[in-house]
Amino acid sequence: MFYESVQQMKKQLGQVEKWLEMATAHAEQKKFDQNLYLGFRLAPDQLPLSAQVGIACDTAKLGAARLTGKDAPAHADNQTTVAELHARLQSVQQWLGALTAKDFEGAATRTITTPRWEGKTMTGQDYFLEHVQPNFGFHVAHTYALLRHNGVPVGKKDYLGALTQTAPKT
Amino acid sequence: MFYESVQQMKKQLGQVEKWLEMATAHAEQKKFDQNLYLGFRLAPDQLPLSAQVGIACDTAKLGAARLTGKDAPAHADNQTTVAELHARLQSVQQWLGALTAKDFEGAATRTITTPRWEGKTMTGQDYFLEHVQPNFGFHVAHTYALLRHNGVPVGKKDYLGALTQTAPKT
């Protein structure tokens, strides 16, 4: 389910864009600069919204890159506007959307490492389940929490987005 | 990967217990009632910490129950103390831990519905990827965010917990 899980991450990054659109509308209604949102934090020593979005993007992108062996596009951590966050989110969604199920063949048993692990390794499956998915969920949820905490009327339906449901038989 | 993903949820509920222990220590150090944490909210119209923990528990428990066809233990939403949250978290971890990989055979193609869906259905795989996993991540991350926002010194390592890593060959 690596491919399907990564496409779910792509979908969630699209939801982040919808929350940012709601933040823009909220800022316009309240007459403040929408780009203030990028600097908001839930704690003084926690990363601000711009970094929460950036790390969510990188977690999905680098996770998929390591599981497939494909090179991901580079993104600098220099966004200062909502528009620049949209551009980064769109770039990552586009790259994730171009991956195929075939790209993830053998992903479960790949040997994964990252620059921070000092030579230690994880299997692709452990890396994805223990590191990529919880990290991704963390930063997406913190983005949402920061907006909600600062007045943006996002709700659970905005979080999940559309569900693939079948109507009851009549 | 349903079984492995559900065991990862069990692990994360164990991490929530560690954050609550840190919250208890923080409250003792600052000399306030640790049970105040259960009522804290990130927004006036968002659910408090007690409900974030309860829904995280229920999302994992009901998700696994629907995917396996097994009955899950019932838990009332009536916790008012950190100790009661620990008890609920432990009960769910115990139940999840007793599931086996075999219990999840055929989970991907099961027809899933919930009381809220008015007869609509999802496949087990879509339900798990689009509903259970993001919902679980949402409520676990909101629990963490509420504690962090209110002074508990939790960090990303506390969020992820131990990783299944292999040491480099020497």
Side-chain angles (χ1 to χ4, degrees):
Chain A
M1 300 201 299
F2 295 105
Y3 170 72
E4 291 80 1
S5 297
V6 166
Q7 294 310 311
Q8 171 65 26
M9 291 184 185
K10 170 177 175 282
K11 172 188 165 184
Q12 284 196 272
L13 294 177
Q15 295 308 118
V16 174
E17 287 209 84
K18 290 177 185 171
W19 313 337
L20 292 177
E21 288 165 13
M22 293 171 77
T24 298
H26 182 72
E28 285 171 356
Q29 189 200 339
K30 297 281 184 181
K31 302 193 191 311
F32 65 85
D33 178 3
Q34 61 174 309
N35 298 322
L36 286 171
Y37 277 113
L38 277 75
F40 289 166
R41 300 168 190 260
L42 285 176
D45 56 346
Q46 198 180 36
L47 292 167
L49 184 135
S50 57
Q52 302 293 346
V53 173
I55 301 174
C57 284
D58 273 5
T59 302
K61 180 184 80 173
L62 296 175
R66 291 183 180 126
L67 287 173
T68 60
K70 289 186 172 285
D71 287 331
H75 297 93
D77 293 319
N78 60 0
Q79 292 82 37
T80 57
T81 66
V82 172
E84 288 170 347
L85 287 184
H86 278 297
R88 183 165 178 175
L89 285 158
Q90 283 173 28
S91 168
V92 174
Q93 288 172 78
Q94 193 170 19
W95 186 76
L96 294 174
L99 297 171
T100 66
K102 195 172 163 56
D103 292 330
F104 289 88
E105 280 177 10
T109 53
R110 266 184 186 268
T111 299
I112 308 287
T113 192
T114 80
R116 289 191 184 181
W117 293 353
E118 298 172 342
K120 282 178 278 192
T121 60
M122 298 183 77
T123 67
Q125 179 161 315
D126 287 341
Y127 167 65
F128 191 71
L129 293 180
E130 298 178 14
H131 199 275
V132 177
Q133 290 216 107
N135 249 325
F136 182 79
F138 179 98
H139 293 289
V140 169
H142 272 73
T143 301
Y144 176 102
L146 274 160
L147 295 174
R148 188 81 154 77
H149 182 64
N150 287 288
V152 182
V154 284
K156 181 58 79 65
K157 284 188 181 177
D158 304 308
Y159 195 80
L160 296 180
L163 301 178
T164 308
Q165 291 184 317
T166 303
K169 290 190 181 103
T170 52
Chain B
M1 301 204 299
F2 295 105
Y3 170 71
E4 292 80 3
S5 296
V6 167
Q7 295 309 312
Q8 171 64 27
M9 290 184 186
K10 170 178 175 283
K11 172 189 166 187
Q12 284 197 271
L13 294 178
Q15 295 307 118
V16 173
E17 287 209 84
K18 289 177 185 171
W19 313 336
L20 291 177
E21 287 165 13
M22 294 171 75
T24 297
H26 182 72
E28 284 171 358
Q29 189 200 339
K30 296 281 182 182
K31 302 192 190 312
F32 65 86
D33 177 3
Q34 61 173 311
N35 298 322
L36 286 171
Y37 278 113
L38 277 76
F40 290 165
R41 301 167 190 261
L42 285 175
D45 55 347
Q46 198 181 37
L47 291 169
L49 183 134
S50 57
Q52 302 294 346
V53 173
I55 301 174
C57 285
D58 274 4
T59 302
K61 179 184 81 173
L62 297 175
R66 290 180 181 127
L67 287 173
T68 60
K70 288 186 173 288
D71 288 332
H75 296 93
D77 294 319
N78 60 0
Q79 292 80 38
T80 57
T81 66
V82 171
E84 288 170 347
L85 287 184
H86 277 296
R88 183 165 177 175
L89 285 158
Q90 283 172 28
S91 168
V92 174
Q93 287 172 78
Q94 194 170 19
W95 186 75
L96 295 174
L99 297 171
T100 66
K102 194 171 163 58
D103 292 330
F104 290 88
E105 280 178 10
T109 54
R110 266 185 186 268
T111 300
I112 308 286
T113 192
T114 81
R116 289 192 183 181
W117 293 354
E118 298 172 340
K120 282 179 276 195
T121 61
M122 297 182 79
T123 67
Q125 179 161 316
D126 288 341
Y127 167 64
F128 192 71
L129 293 179
E130 299 178 14
H131 198 274
V132 177
Q133 292 217 105
N135 249 324
F136 181 79
F138 179 97
H139 293 289
V140 170
H142 272 72
T143 300
Y144 176 102
L146 273 160
L147 296 174
R148 188 80 155 79
H149 181 64
N150 287 288
V152 182
V154 285
K156 181 58 78 65
K157 284 188 181 176
D158 304 308
Y159 194 81
L160 294 180
L163 301 178
T164 309
Q165 292 183 319
T166 302
K169 291 189 181 104
T170 51

